[in-house]
Structure formats: structure tokens, C-alpha cells
Amino acid sequence: MQDLSLEMAKAVRRFEPIETEGLTLYPIQVKDIDEFTTARPAIEFMQQSLPVAMLSKPLLQSYYTLELDAAKNGQPGSGLFYKCILFLLLAMRVGNGLPAEKRIELVDLELQANDPKRLKSVLVFVNGEVKRITPMQFQRLRPILAAQNGIELVSENANPELVQAERDLAEMNAPKLQYRVDALKATVATFSGADESEMEEWPILKLLLRRDAVQRLAGYITCSFAEAQGGKWKHGNPFPSPLYDREIDYCGGLIDMSTFAGGAGMRAVQNAGNQTT
């Protein structure tokens, strides 16, 4: 929450709405988790992975430009612009209960009069009142939206290729799981004593924090037993505390060449070196 003021950070921890830029932003609720999952990529997108020509533009304008370019070339768009709008509607709780396509109808676009390729603002109709969100405003709102809903933004200084490589490696090494909301809710309910029906009104962040607590506690108990039996881990116990997450002080995206592919990677490099000498 490094981009948030102290008061905003407190509101996030309390699952309270935040008033800023003339808008009220609410934590998105579990009952909207399907729409949230659809819209999430527009918030966590790595802006530095955009084409160089778009890096200096606000992210919302870049999304709009990508859609225009795709339409011009007769190609399907990324959908990031519409996902971004949907996320804003969810956070503002506009069109509650409506499907995503109906929520989008509560929005209009205001374009620059002298340049229709430039987005002036997004117009959101809230209880008979029009709320304007400019691309620059969204740039300031994005860290708030992320923090309220448990989304971790990548640092602007991060190398997008390295970040993606680390994500790909983590996905490759991860077990294949069936990610079902009902299974998540049932597990959290079992450990917390809350009923699944109550969780529909929970902020998604609250459900994610409860999930992390369950994983941390189960991991701590399991690893404690394993450690007592002589178990060891390459980078140390991954769950040293039942209360706090371990601080990662190593890069999971880097692999020792001697261990890659059972040593085949190192042998290939050595063979290539011998052939050039």
C-alpha cells in the first residue's frame, strides 16, 4: 500500500469505502467474484509491457487506443478497456445485480472534440448523477482499487520480461488445481466457523485474507511436523510462523544451470563451448 495515504491504508484494512476524486470506491464483494475475475486483468496489467509508443500515456488511454487499433485492423481487441470499465462499475457498485453487459450500458465515453482517438473521460451514471473519470484520474485510482481488492501491482521499475518469466516458472512448477469459488468458501467456512451464505456480502479481500490464513496455519503445522522429522527445504522453512508470511529473500525465477533439466542445460552449454574452440 505504498501509494496510499495512511487514512486510505487504514480504510483498506477495515474493508471501508474510500472517497476520493469525487467518487466513492467500495471493496468488491464476493457475490461479484465472477465479474471481478473477468475484470481483474485490467487492473494488474503491467503497463511497462505496452508498446514503447504507449508507455507515456495513461493506462486507460492506452487500453482505448489498443481497442481502436484492433478494430481498424479487423482484429479482436484485448478487451482490457471494457474490463477496466467493468472493474470501475463493480468498485462504485453501479448496476448491482445486473449482468456485466447491462452494467456497461450505464457508461458513456467523452472524446476530445478535435481528436476522437483521445479519450477525454468515462461517464458513469450513478443515481441520476454523472461521474466523470479521466484517464489521469484512473491512473491515481488504480492503486486504491488494487489495494481494496487484494491485487498486488508490479513495480513500475520491474522488468516485464523477468516478471513474466518468473510467473511462467511458478505456473510450470505449480500443481494443477481446480480453482472453484465454492471449494474455497467451503474450506474457509470450515476453519472460520462462518457460513458460506454470509460470505456473499464479504469483501473479496476479506475472503482472500482468510484463505491466506488457512494456508499459513496448515503450512505451519505440516512443515513443523516435517522439520521435527528432519525435513529440510532448499530456501528454508516456507511457513516459519502461523501468524505472518515469510519474507521471500530469493528469486524463484532463477534456476541454477547445473540443475536445469537434470543437468542437460549445463551439458548443452559446455558442448557448445567446446565446439567453438
Side-chain angles (χ1 to χ4, degrees), residues 120-165:
K120 188 175 181 180
S121 62
V122 173
L123 308 179
V124 182
F125 301 97
V126 185
N127 299 323
E129 184 180 357
V130 178
K131 299 289 186 180
R132 283 179 166 80
I133 303 171
T134 68
M136 285 304 299
Q137 276 183 301
F138 176 75
Q139 205 74 6
R140 297 189 292 269
L141 297 176
R142 183 171 167 242
I144 302 171
L145 295 169
Q148 283 183 309
N149 297 286
I151 298 174
E152 185 175 351
L153 298 180
V154 175
S155 168
E156 294 180 357
N157 300 320
N159 184 312
E161 293 181 358
L162 291 179
V163 171
Q164 189 59 51

Side-chain angles (χ1 to χ4, degrees), residues 8-268:
M8 286 184 180
K10 287 181 178 179
V12 168
R13 289 196 294 268
R14 296 168 181 163
F15 312 115
E16 295 173 348
I18 292 176
E19 294 187 10
T20 183
E21 306 272 351
L23 306 170
T24 302
L25 303 177
Y26 299 87
I28 298 174
Q29 295 173 299
V30 172
K31 63 185 178 184
D32 290 322
I33 197 166
D34 291 332
E35 292 81 0
F36 165 80
T37 302
T38 298
R40 175 178 182 148
I43 300 300
E44 62 187 357
F45 184 82
M46 286 187 289
Q47 187 165 359
Q48 56 268 51
S49 65
L50 286 167
V52 175
M54 296 186 186
L55 290 179
S56 61
K57 297 179 181 179
L59 189 57
L60 190 58
Q61 175 63 56
S62 296
Y63 287 161
Y64 183 66
T65 301
L66 288 173
E67 293 297 333
L68 290 180
D69 290 346
K72 180 180 178 180
N73 297 321
Q75 298 174 344
S78 66
L80 288 170
F81 181 73
Y82 299 100
K83 291 175 182 180
C84 187
I85 301 301
L86 176 59
F87 202 103
L88 282 169
L89 293 172
L90 292 169
M92 295 170 67
R93 295 193 181 171
V94 174
N96 274 346
L98 294 176
E101 59 272 16
K102 290 295 183 181
R103 287 187 191 240
I104 295 294
E105 293 178 5
L106 301 174
V107 171
D108 207 348
L109 304 181
E110 185 178 18
L111 308 178
Q112 294 285 356
N114 59 342
D115 186 359
K117 293 182 179 179
R118 290 186 60 193
L119 179 66
K120 188 175 181 180
S121 62
V122 173
L123 308 179
V124 182
F125 301 97
V126 185
N127 299 323
E129 184 180 357
V130 178
K131 299 289 186 180
R132 283 179 166 80
I133 303 171
T134 68
M136 285 304 299
Q137 276 183 301
F138 176 75
Q139 205 74 6
R140 297 189 292 269
L141 297 176
R142 183 171 167 242
I144 302 171
L145 295 169
Q148 283 183 309
N149 297 286
I151 298 174
E152 185 175 351
L153 298 180
V154 175
S155 168
E156 294 180 357
N157 300 320
N159 184 312
E161 293 181 358
L162 291 179
V163 171
Q164 189 59 51
E166 188 159 354
R167 287 177 176 175
D168 291 343
L169 181 62
E171 183 177 347
M172 180 178 66
N173 293 332
K176 303 301 181 184
L177 301 177
Q178 296 179 357
Y179 292 97
R180 299 197 335 266
V181 177
D182 56 343
L184 170 61
K185 289 165 65 177
T187 303
V188 171
T190 300
F191 277 80
S192 67
D195 190 85
E196 287 94 329
S197 59
E198 299 173 32
M199 297 180 189
E200 290 293 288
E201 301 301 318
W202 281 13
I204 288 174
L205 177 60
K206 181 176 181 178
L207 180 64
L208 297 179
L209 290 173
R210 294 288 181 98
R211 176 205 64 187
D212 292 346
V214 169
Q215 289 179 323
R216 190 166 49 244
L217 183 58
Y220 173 75
I221 293 173
T222 302
C223 290
S224 293
F225 277 118
E227 209 165 33
Q229 299 298 319
K232 295 184 181 298
W233 296 264
K234 183 176 181 180
H235 298 289
N237 188 337
F239 294 98
S241 168
L243 303 177
Y244 306 107
D245 291 321
R246 176 185 169 181
E247 184 173 333
I248 301 299
D249 51 3
Y250 61 90
C251 180
L254 299 178
I255 304 178
D256 188 335
M257 182 60 81
S258 63
T259 64
F260 179 68
M266 179 61 79
R267 288 194 296 272

